[in-house]
Amino acid sequence: SVHSGSRHDGTAGTGARIIPSGSSSARIIDIARDDVTVEWLEISGASATSGAVVGVYINVTAHDIYINNNVIHNILATGADGTRGVGIECDHSASSPASSSRFILNNFVYAINSTHATDWHPVIGIYVPHPTGAGDVEIYNNTVFDITSLTGAAYGISASLSTTATNNIVLSCDSGDSGYLDTCYYGTANSASDYNLSDDETAWGSNSVKGSDGATAANTIANTSSGSENLHLIANSLALGAGVDL
């Protein structure tokens, strides 16, 4: 965790940071043990020349994990063909403990990108692999923005049936290649998932706000400009009052 006097205000450069430089580990934070909390950090791959392809990674067997109140940004998919760029990845399969208890709460995740012109590089804001495991992953109150790949799929939140996702906002997911899917929410989350927002039609839940309701990045968050992102809600955003108490 971070001392209260060193916590960020939700924007880059305002608090304690982890910013690897040069050629670094493929996972900026790699969690392989139980009972871990990562909170109030800015985690950026902006200075990494290669290798910074996952902001926070949770091992398949780790449980009682809390990823809270972080700003995770500028993760660039690099390396061999097929390497993906991910903001937060919670590895999950049938080998996950029955009471995994993984919580991804109140994070800002943005600028998860690939600029490769030829190789296939998918990018994902928050990723829970699709094989359904025994444990639970809860994804609440996160905002995900600018998930963009030139040559691969682009998913804001990609999750499985073991995931419950509520009160999340996902905006501006784009693949530059028409042969790949770009979608704010991908996969089949738990049926309890609801009260989400997207600027396309994929937000999980019957009470969610979608692009057809008028949701856009510009009328939802404070600053969409590259390098100056501010994912706090603006006045009159459709997200205000549209969530549910948890």
Side-chain angles (χ1 to χ4, degrees):
S1 186
V2 173
H3 182 272
S4 59
S6 299
R7 294 176 176 178
H8 59 76
D9 65 5
T11 59
T14 60
R17 295 173 282 175
I18 299 177
I19 307 178
S21 61
S23 181
S24 59
S25 170
R27 299 163 181 168
I28 297 176
I29 294 180
D30 191 339
I31 300 170
R33 56 158 293 170
D34 302 336
D35 303 303
V36 173
T37 297
V38 177
E39 62 181 357
W40 291 108
L41 281 169
E42 177 190 346
I43 301 164
S44 171
S47 297
T49 57
S50 65
V53 294
V54 180
V56 178
Y57 176 81
I58 303 169
N59 188 277
V60 68
T61 60
H63 61 84
D64 294 308
I65 307 298
Y66 292 82
I67 311 300
N68 309 331
N69 303 303
N70 300 289
V71 176
I72 301 171
H73 64 95
N74 289 98
I75 306 297
L76 185 65
T78 60
D81 186 24
T83 303
R84 61 179 176 262
V86 184
I88 302 170
E89 180 169 349
C90 182
D91 206 353
H92 201 68
S93 74
S95 64
S96 298
S99 57
S100 295
S101 301
R102 290 101 167 271
F103 297 89
I104 300 172
L105 313 172
N106 306 313
N107 300 283
F108 285 171
V109 179
Y110 64 88
I112 313 299
N113 306 136
S114 173
T115 57
H116 279 264
T118 54
D119 291 343
W120 174 62
H121 288 280
V123 289
I124 309 168
I126 299 174
Y127 181 40
V128 182
H130 291 292
T132 302
D136 297 321
V137 181
E138 299 182 52
I139 302 176
Y140 300 150
N141 302 333
N142 302 280
T143 301
V144 178
F145 168 68
D146 183 21
I147 312 300
T148 307
S149 177
L150 282 181
T151 54
Y155 306 141
I157 299 178
S158 176
S160 63
L161 286 170
S162 55
T163 301
T164 303
T166 301
N167 288 354
N168 299 289
I169 296 171
V170 183
L171 303 159
S172 300
C173 299
D174 181 64
S175 173
D177 189 327
S178 60
Y180 296 103
L181 187 63
D182 46 17
T183 181
C184 289
Y185 295 80
Y186 179 77
T188 305
N190 187 292
S191 61
S193 299
D194 204 351
Y195 296 94
N196 297 293
L197 182 147
S198 67
D199 58 1
D200 61 11
E201 298 305 301
T202 61
W204 294 313
S206 60
N207 295 293
S208 293
V209 177
K210 302 178 180 180
S212 57
D213 299 310
T216 67
N219 67 21
T220 302
I221 57 178
N223 195 332
T224 62
S225 298
S226 178
S228 302
E229 293 92 342
N230 184 343
L231 274 57
H232 290 101
L233 297 179
I234 62 173
N236 302 316
S237 166
L238 292 177
L240 294 172
V244 65
D245 291 340
L246 296 172

